[in-house]
Amino acid sequence: MKDKITLKQIAKEMGVSISTVSKALKDSYEIGEETKEKIRNYAKANNYRPNRIALSLKDGRTRTIAVILPEIVHHFFSQVVDGIEKIANKAGYNVLVCSSNESFAKEVVNMDTLAHGKIDGFIISLSKETQMKQDYHHIQEVINQGMPIVMFDRVVDEIDCDKVVVNDAEAVEQAVDYLWSNGRRRIGLISSLDYLSVGRLRTEGYIQSLLKHGLNPDEGSILKINEFLDCEAPIQEFMEQNDFDAILGVNEIYAITAMKILQRKGLHIPQQVEIIGFSDGILSRYSTPSLTSVDQHGKEMGETAAHLLLRRLADTDDEPPQTRVIPTSLKFRGSSGRPANFSPSAELPIDGHQQQPQ
Amino acid sequence: MKDKITLKQIAKEMGVSISTVSKALKDSYEIGEETKEKIRNYAKANNYRPNRIALSLKDGRTRTIAVILPEIVHHFFSQVVDGIEKIANKAGYNVLVCSSNESFAKEVVNMDTLAHGKIDGFIISLSKETQMKQDYHHIQEVINQGMPIVMFDRVVDEIDCDKVVVNDAEAVEQAVDYLWSNGRRRIGLISSLDYLSVGRLRTEGYIQSLLKHGLNPDEGSILKINEFLDCEAPIQEFMEQNDFDAILGVNEIYAITAMKILQRKGLHIPQQVEIIGFSDGILSRYSTPSLTSVDQHGKEMGETAAHLLLRRLADTDDEPPQTRVIPTSLKFRGSSGRPANFSPSAELPIDGHQQQPQ
DNA sequence: CTGAAAGCGCTTACAG
DNA sequence: CTGAAAGCGCTTACAG
């Protein structure tokens, strides 16, 4: 239980001043080679490492960034954290992870306590409650203090800062276009309530695409799910009341749930109904049939967000905030017809790229 | 871009000393009520918050704990982080997340840089490479420095510290017993290579259970998968060479992969083959049929680990290190016969407890 | 009731 | 070539 060694102790032990030790360990030209050598050896033998807190206090930066997520146990968000951590670590930064747990209050408290010295900047995706209340004062306050923030995925126009998003509307439009080109005409959308930016944008994309094809989108073919309740009952009802030949779900769970319900009714996927999900995760890869889905490239979003933040942290000049749009891509799997030469009977092989088991 | 306000600035503005401001804001009895009131108001108006770095330097604790994970994008590990974060936050601690990425070198570097001032303690699950090399000097060094460590899930006997594990052997034994009671006699195990503590223990449990039932476990009925390669080909081969009526996979992926392969061969799950997986995650819940699996209660493991660490951080007395065993539980779903009155035709309902979509 | 001083562990301009 | 001093932002025993 020997305590960590400090410059002071080394100085005392070596019979020199603290400044000398400090300079010696930084290989300063000011210090004699012999002295340096002696001090270096002693430091090494005692496993000396400068105290990072003292360094932080000195130069006003902690080399830590905070990520505030609505949820930790979520495939997409973990991917984002993974990307952030990778880039941050490379630049010598550590990553503090906080969950807002979809709560406005917790988001506010987290930001308030962290903003004062503990970290250099934020990367945040807003909680549902925050988007519902449309109260962003805590974000603005932190920005006013001069602390850089990057928002990702769930962003809002009201705040002027760097942002990383996918083009939700365009991604959905692309997916619907693809279903259309497969001959599907009764395409249902399972979305979330409009207060969530991503749900709203995805619904817009759906309507856009149908309008483009000369179809007047019917309110009845859009289901908006209250995320705080169970999704199975409403989806079941939605399936009963309509006779879709294709379904688009704004997340994996909705798509997979719809698929299970249709399968229980004896329908064949993708022959009778094609299904596409959103945010390509482990579920999409391993469901039966595997799920065609819109890949949001979470890791890339995280990397981009980290890059943007690190640039702000490094730069002195004030470039205007920018919004980076990460292009989505459709990952074709068994739940949909394939582009060009598709053979519906051939189940796609299980994707070789497996999640590492623990 | 106004900078954060400090005691010094308040003192100057109010025409008093720094100490007076400090005491006033802590509502010290030493300061006059009037002065306090004035200072409090000014501080509030300017949104003063004590600099946490300065506080850390002062009292030698950062109120931050580091979690080192083999992988960030992993359902079980996210659950653990979720549990840690919850308990830590409640106690006023923040959580730094680092990925070792299953690499020994990255684990060593992470610990070395963090141990010196940035955090108060570690919660760690060893990387595969570390378990393979059996080199734990970096862990021991940190402990020798007097910094508390809690290991979870992938732990080793060689290190004496607080630990949180599940009883892997017992959990598997229980699962095999259950398959046995369903009349299954040709039970295959898909495990990982023995250098991973959890793989080894689970294999032991499997053998124990078979021996108990008077069966001499056959080497051929155990498949040990090299985790760095694709798992599908070996599992496929394993299924070809054997005629199992039940399969136990030491993780979700192995179990689901086996299930898909058997289904493609036209076998019915669970009527012809029952399947049980490990680490109850989102895949188990949404596969078809849904997967019976051993729930390791990741969130609870995280909470327990956090509690143990916080206790060490608070206490001065040195209790001997303890190992907490979190009981696993079998979650019965569609891929296996149910205990007691099971009806194989009834697909279980989709689990109502959904992962929150983003 | 208020303030000067020392100290947490470090860095760095400045003096010698 | 080496060291004393100031400072990062705070707290707290001590003096007045």
Side-chain angles (χ1 to χ4, degrees):
Chain A
M1 188 96 170
K2 59 174 181 207
D3 257 344
K4 282 157 246 161
I5 194 167
T6 65
L7 289 188
K8 203 182 186 178
Q9 290 166 53
I10 299 182
K12 195 173 163 196
E13 208 62 43
M14 305 266 93
V16 296
S17 77
I18 294 177
S19 353
T20 301
V21 178
S22 174
K23 287 173 187 162
L25 291 176
K26 313 197 90 182
D27 200 21
S28 161
Y29 68 95
E30 292 183 273
I31 307 295
E33 199 47 58
E34 242 180 293
T35 318
K36 280 200 228 173
E37 191 59 20
K38 255 184 15 201
I39 292 177
R40 256 198 299 262
N41 287 339
Y42 187 85
K44 189 158 212 171
N46 289 277
N47 193 29
Y48 171 80
R49 290 287 183 293
N51 182 317
R52 322 222 85 253
I53 291 294
L55 291 179
S56 292
L57 185 59
K58 193 98 242 295
D59 65 26
R61 31 180 41 204
T62 61
R63 304 220 169 257
T64 303
I65 64 187
V67 181
I68 302 193
L69 305 169
E71 261 185 287
I72 289 179
V73 186
H74 191 296
H75 189 261
F76 170 70
F77 289 128
S78 333
Q79 283 187 86
V80 174
V81 173
D82 199 35
I84 293 171
E85 205 256 356
K86 181 181 148 198
I87 301 302
N89 265 18
K90 245 189 232 167
Y93 277 76
N94 288 116
V95 177
L96 208 63
V97 169
C98 290
S99 164
S100 67
N101 220 349
E102 302 288 12
S103 142
F104 173 75
K106 211 182 158 204
E107 193 174 287
V108 172
V109 170
N110 269 334
M111 295 198 67
D112 194 53
T113 58
L114 291 173
H116 296 269
K118 225 167 166 171
I119 58 148
D120 296 342
F122 284 103
I123 295 178
I124 184 172
S125 189
L126 294 177
S127 80
K128 283 175 189 166
E129 212 189 335
T130 306
Q131 291 212 311
M132 209 153 32
K133 287 175 105 98
Q134 306 189 321
D135 182 347
Y136 316 120
H137 77 275
H138 52 305
I139 314 281
Q140 194 57 57
E141 235 163 53
V142 169
I143 293 176
N144 290 345
Q145 264 179 217
M147 177 158 291
I149 290 192
V150 178
M151 301 180 84
F152 74 92
D153 197 55
R154 297 194 199 153
V155 306
V156 290
D157 291 338
E158 286 87 337
I159 297 290
D160 193 35
C161 68
D162 289 329
K163 292 166 193 166
V164 182
V165 295
V166 293
N167 192 332
D168 283 293
E170 200 178 299
V172 170
E173 198 176 333
Q174 194 180 314
V176 174
D177 284 356
Y178 156 64
L179 290 171
W180 186 274
S181 75
N182 283 349
R184 305 295 168 166
R185 293 297 177 269
R186 305 186 308 280
I187 304 173
L189 176 72
I190 306 178
S191 186
S192 54
L193 294 178
D194 282 344
Y195 71 85
L196 269 187
S197 52
V198 297
R200 190 177 59 247
L201 289 168
R202 289 171 194 174
T203 303
E204 276 169 22
Y206 166 82
I207 294 175
Q208 274 316 308
S209 177
L210 292 192
L211 286 175
K212 192 171 66 187
H213 294 296
L215 219 66
N216 222 343
D218 166 18
E219 272 297 303
S221 68
I222 301 177
L223 172 65
K224 291 181 185 171
I225 291 194
N226 180 336
E227 329 234 355
F228 296 105
L229 305 178
D230 177 33
C231 71
E232 196 184 352
I235 293 179
Q236 174 98 43
E237 195 190 353
F238 189 52
M239 299 291 116
E240 301 293 352
Q241 290 171 346
N242 292 275
D243 177 33
F244 295 121
D245 58 9
I247 296 287
L248 183 66
V250 301
N251 59 52
E252 274 190 325
I253 307 277
Y254 294 171
I256 296 278
T257 302
M259 185 157 85
K260 287 200 113 177
I261 289 170
L262 293 169
Q263 284 172 328
R264 273 193 301 213
K265 288 174 68 174
L267 290 167
H268 290 284
I269 315 292
Q271 295 86 339
Q272 291 169 278
V273 187
E274 291 185 47
I275 300 186
I276 298 184
F278 230 91
S279 96
D280 186 51
I282 193 170
L283 268 184
S284 305
R285 212 139 60 212
Y286 287 97
S287 63
T288 310
S290 53
L291 186 68
T292 292
S293 75
V294 178
D295 189 345
Q296 297 176 92
H297 303 287
K299 186 162 182 178
E300 194 183 336
M301 287 185 79
E303 291 175 2
T304 306
H307 277 308
L308 286 173
L309 188 62
L310 291 173
R311 222 192 35 146
R312 292 276 169 214
L313 258 21
D315 274 6
T316 42
D317 59 344
D318 280 289
E319 291 180 50
Q322 57 180 266
T323 296
R324 291 277 180 84
V325 180
I326 306 295
T328 57
S329 56
L330 262 178
K331 197 129 187 178
F332 298 106
R333 295 215 184 77
S335 70
S336 74
R338 299 187 100 168
N341 50 354
F342 172 68
S343 95
S345 64
E347 161 71 275
L348 293 179
I350 299 172
D351 195 316
H353 176 74
Q354 54 169 318
Q355 185 188 28
Q356 295 278 355
Q358 48 143 333
Chain B
M1 190 98 172
K2 58 172 179 209
D3 257 344
K4 280 158 251 163
I5 194 167
T6 66
L7 289 188
K8 202 182 186 179
Q9 289 166 55
I10 299 182
K12 195 172 163 195
E13 208 62 42
M14 305 266 91
V16 295
S17 78
I18 294 178
S19 353
T20 301
V21 178
S22 174
K23 287 173 188 163
L25 291 175
K26 314 196 90 182
D27 200 22
S28 162
Y29 68 95
E30 292 183 275
I31 307 295
E33 201 44 63
E34 242 180 295
T35 319
K36 280 199 224 172
E37 191 59 21
K38 255 183 17 199
I39 292 178
R40 257 199 298 263
N41 287 339
Y42 187 85
K44 187 157 213 173
N46 289 276
N47 193 31
Y48 171 79
R49 290 287 182 294
N51 182 316
R52 323 222 84 254
I53 291 295
L55 291 179
S56 292
L57 185 58
K58 194 96 238 296
D59 65 25
R61 33 180 40 205
T62 61
R63 306 221 166 253
T64 303
I65 64 187
V67 181
I68 302 193
L69 304 168
E71 260 186 286
I72 289 180
V73 186
H74 191 297
H75 189 261
F76 169 70
F77 289 129
S78 330
Q79 283 186 87
V80 174
V81 173
D82 200 34
I84 294 171
E85 206 256 354
K86 182 181 148 199
I87 301 303
N89 266 18
K90 245 187 232 166
Y93 277 76
N94 289 116
V95 177
L96 208 64
V97 169
C98 289
S99 165
S100 67
N101 221 350
E102 302 288 12
S103 142
F104 173 75
K106 210 181 161 206
E107 193 174 287
V108 172
V109 170
N110 269 334
M111 296 198 66
D112 193 52
T113 57
L114 290 173
H116 295 269
K118 226 167 168 173
I119 58 148
D120 297 342
F122 285 103
I123 295 178
I124 184 172
S125 188
L126 294 177
S127 79
K128 283 177 189 165
E129 212 189 335
T130 306
Q131 291 212 311
M132 209 151 32
K133 287 175 105 97
Q134 306 188 321
D135 181 347
Y136 315 120
H137 77 275
H138 52 305
I139 314 281
Q140 194 56 58
E141 236 164 53
V142 168
I143 293 176
N144 290 346
Q145 264 180 214
M147 176 158 292
I149 290 193
V150 178
M151 301 180 86
F152 74 92
D153 196 55
R154 297 194 199 153
V155 306
V156 290
D157 291 338
E158 286 87 337
I159 297 289
D160 192 35
C161 67
D162 288 329
K163 292 166 193 169
V164 183
V165 295
V166 293
N167 192 331
D168 282 294
E170 199 178 301
V172 169
E173 198 176 331
Q174 193 181 312
V176 174
D177 283 355
Y178 157 62
L179 290 170
W180 186 275
S181 75
N182 283 348
R184 305 295 169 167
R185 294 297 178 267
R186 304 186 308 281
I187 304 172
L189 176 73
I190 307 179
S191 186
S192 53
L193 294 178
D194 282 343
Y195 70 84
L196 269 187
S197 52
V198 297
R200 189 177 60 248
L201 289 168
R202 289 172 193 173
T203 303
E204 275 169 23
Y206 166 82
I207 294 175
Q208 273 316 310
S209 177
L210 292 192
L211 286 176
K212 191 170 64 187
H213 294 297
L215 219 68
N216 221 344
D218 165 18
E219 272 296 304
S221 68
I222 302 177
L223 173 64
K224 291 182 185 171
I225 292 195
N226 179 337
E227 329 234 355
F228 296 105
L229 304 177
D230 177 32
C231 71
E232 197 185 351
I235 293 179
Q236 174 97 42
E237 196 189 351
F238 189 52
M239 298 292 115
E240 302 292 352
Q241 290 171 346
N242 293 276
D243 178 33
F244 294 121
D245 58 10
I247 296 288
L248 182 66
V250 300
N251 59 50
E252 274 190 325
I253 307 278
Y254 294 171
I256 296 277
T257 302
M259 184 157 84
K260 287 200 112 175
I261 289 170
L262 293 169
Q263 284 172 328
R264 273 193 303 214
K265 287 174 70 176
L267 290 167
H268 291 284
I269 315 293
Q271 294 85 341
Q272 291 169 277
V273 187
E274 291 186 48
I275 300 187
I276 298 184
F278 230 90
S279 96
D280 186 50
I282 193 168
L283 267 184
S284 304
R285 211 139 58 214
Y286 287 96
S287 63
T288 310
S290 55
L291 187 68
T292 292
S293 75
V294 178
D295 189 345
Q296 296 175 91
H297 303 287
K299 187 162 182 178
E300 195 184 337
M301 288 185 79
E303 292 173 2
T304 306
H307 277 306
L308 286 173
L309 188 62
L310 290 173
R311 223 192 33 147
R312 291 276 169 214
L313 257 21
D315 274 6
T316 41
D317 58 342
D318 281 288
E319 292 179 50
Q322 56 180 267
T323 296
R324 291 278 180 85
V325 180
I326 306 295
T328 57
S329 55
L330 261 179
K331 197 130 188 178
F332 299 105
R333 295 214 185 77
S335 70
S336 74
R338 297 187 103 169
N341 51 353
F342 172 69
S343 95
S345 64
E347 160 70 275
L348 293 180
I350 299 172
D351 194 316
H353 177 76
Q354 54 170 319
Q355 184 188 31
Q356 295 279 356
Q358 47 142 333

